[in-house]
Amino acid sequence: MMNTIIVPVVAGLVLFLFGMKLMETSLQQWAGPRLQLWLERFTRTPVRGLITGTVLTAALQSSTAITVIAIGLVGAGVLTFPRTLGVILGTNIGTCLTTELIGLSLGGIGVPILIVSASIWMLSWLAGPLPSAATQRQDITVAAPAGVGLGWVRSVRYGSLAAAGFSLVLLGIEIMQTIGPALQSRGLFARFVQEAQHSLLWGIIAGAAVTALVHSSAAVIAMAMGLAAVQGIPVELGIAITIGANVGTCVTALIAGMSSSRAGRYVAWSHILLNIGGAVLFYPFIHQLVSLSALLAPDASSQIARSQTIFNVACSLLALPLCYLNMWKRLEFRSQ
């Protein structure tokens, strides 16, 4: 059991989380000087905030990072609470890119991507050091700053690191999927799956709890997709775990909000209400969600990815009209 189940799960999860962190950090380093400017400029309406949150989350591969940044900007008085509501909705949609890419079963190209991206990263050092942080800030505000010629080096260097991180994500998933035969032969998870057939609430609780521990909904959803791909769990349970994983991401937002201002805490609670409200709304319709995703994807893994996209997009679009209520402006005024 140690060699066939525990070691592959731990090794695959560590590789997955390391790849996600490498990808997230690399993209943030590339976009960092511009990120605050983008949030300030493109969040004037909830719709623009939703689009901005979606694009930034898809680009940085971290809804948590965008949520925490939004909480920090509100706490610092740079953004108002109502302007972040659309951003929070967009972060949920942007996270779907990761699971959709995973659902394409790209594990076989993980090693080639890693080799190519590592080679490009090493070659980028031949161009010299990157511009300083001060120069990068100057790049944003000055039309023809000094050192702008090395801007492409930053893009290539951090872009190759992000690609390497994504290849590690694919390899981690491939390692975790190797436990399928061992699970089936030992009958592990049989009781859990049996209980989940009576109530899918078990899957939602499990997804939320594990996500709260590892602070990565993508990792938990990837594990569910991997188990479903080898018939370790049914698709219904995988979708329930996915919905629970969205709830589990609220823990990080709650922690970030505790150390912020009252307006910053409002941002955190809006994220929590969106995810918990969506889970409560969709829980009675999980079987219908399974049927709909089956029409859009051929295999179990892709069906879970597609269901997450449907769930997140539907929740955000349903909540979008609420962002235009005047009560948020009054709430912002009271928090000042």
Side-chain angles (χ1 to χ4, degrees):
M1 178 175 176
M2 176 65 71
N3 294 330
T4 58
I5 297 178
I6 297 178
V7 171
V9 167
V10 173
L13 184 60
V14 168
L15 199 59
F16 184 99
L17 292 175
F18 178 74
M20 285 293 295
K21 193 64 181 177
L22 178 62
M23 185 165 51
E24 174 188 336
T25 303
S26 301
L27 291 170
Q28 285 187 38
Q29 286 292 324
W30 171 74
R34 304 172 180 84
L35 189 56
Q36 180 173 329
L37 181 66
W38 291 337
L39 284 173
E40 291 175 11
R41 183 176 296 176
F42 301 113
T43 58
R44 294 175 183 174
T45 66
V47 170
R48 292 179 68 176
L50 182 144
I51 295 172
T52 303
T54 300
V55 172
L56 291 179
T57 302
L60 299 183
Q61 292 295 292
S62 176
S63 62
T64 301
I66 302 300
T67 302
V68 171
I69 289 171
I71 292 172
L73 292 177
V74 170
V78 177
L79 288 180
T80 60
F81 163 62
R83 290 180 65 173
T84 65
L85 291 173
V87 176
I88 297 301
L89 300 183
T91 57
N92 273 26
I93 298 177
T95 57
C96 300
L97 177 63
T98 304
T99 49
E100 288 290 353
L101 289 174
I102 294 172
L104 295 176
S105 301
L106 302 174
I109 64 173
V111 173
I113 292 177
L114 180 60
I115 294 173
V116 172
S117 57
S119 301
I120 294 174
W121 178 78
M122 287 187 290
L123 289 173
S124 70
W125 285 93
L126 297 177
L130 293 174
S132 64
T135 303
Q136 288 301 308
R137 288 191 293 269
Q138 188 182 13
D139 288 349
I140 302 172
T141 56
V142 181
V148 72
L150 290 178
W152 68 272
V153 179
R154 172 176 289 270
S155 299
V156 170
R157 189 169 298 174
Y158 287 123
S160 60
L161 278 179
F166 181 65
S167 69
L168 294 178
V169 166
L170 297 177
L171 292 174
I173 294 170
E174 200 168 16
I175 292 173
M176 286 189 286
Q177 287 181 340
T178 61
I179 68 172
L183 287 176
Q184 292 176 344
S185 63
R186 294 174 178 270
L188 297 177
F189 290 153
R191 185 167 180 267
F192 175 74
V193 172
Q194 185 177 3
E195 291 291 339
Q197 289 176 346
H198 299 293
S199 176
L200 291 173
L201 187 61
W202 284 87
I204 292 178
I205 294 173
V210 177
T211 301
L213 289 174
V214 302
H215 292 277
S216 175
S217 60
V220 176
I221 295 172
M223 291 179 66
M225 292 170 65
L227 290 171
V230 296
Q231 299 181 344
I233 59 173
V235 175
E236 291 87 350
L237 180 54
I239 292 177
I241 292 172
T242 298
I243 294 175
N246 282 274
V247 176
T249 60
C250 298
V251 173
T252 308
L254 183 61
I255 294 172
M258 289 174 61
S259 59
S260 184
S261 63
R262 179 181 294 183
R265 290 194 292 272
Y266 288 159
V267 179
W269 279 107
S270 65
H271 175 77
I272 293 169
L273 291 175
L274 172 66
N275 287 282
I276 294 180
V280 172
L281 180 65
F282 270 81
Y283 174 69
F285 304 105
I286 289 180
H287 293 291
Q288 287 78 6
L289 190 57
V290 172
S291 301
L292 179 58
S293 61
L295 296 175
L296 302 174
D299 56 274
S301 180
S302 298
Q303 287 171 20
I304 294 175
R306 211 56 42 83
S307 68
Q308 193 219 9
T309 300
I310 296 170
F311 169 76
N312 284 351
V313 171
C315 288
S316 294
L317 293 181
L318 287 173
L320 182 60
L322 301 178
C323 298
Y324 286 89
L325 297 177
N326 289 327
M327 61 177 291
W328 306 122
K329 295 181 180 178
R330 293 196 296 267
L331 193 65
E332 171 71 17
F333 178 77
R334 292 176 183 175
S335 68
Q336 293 177 350

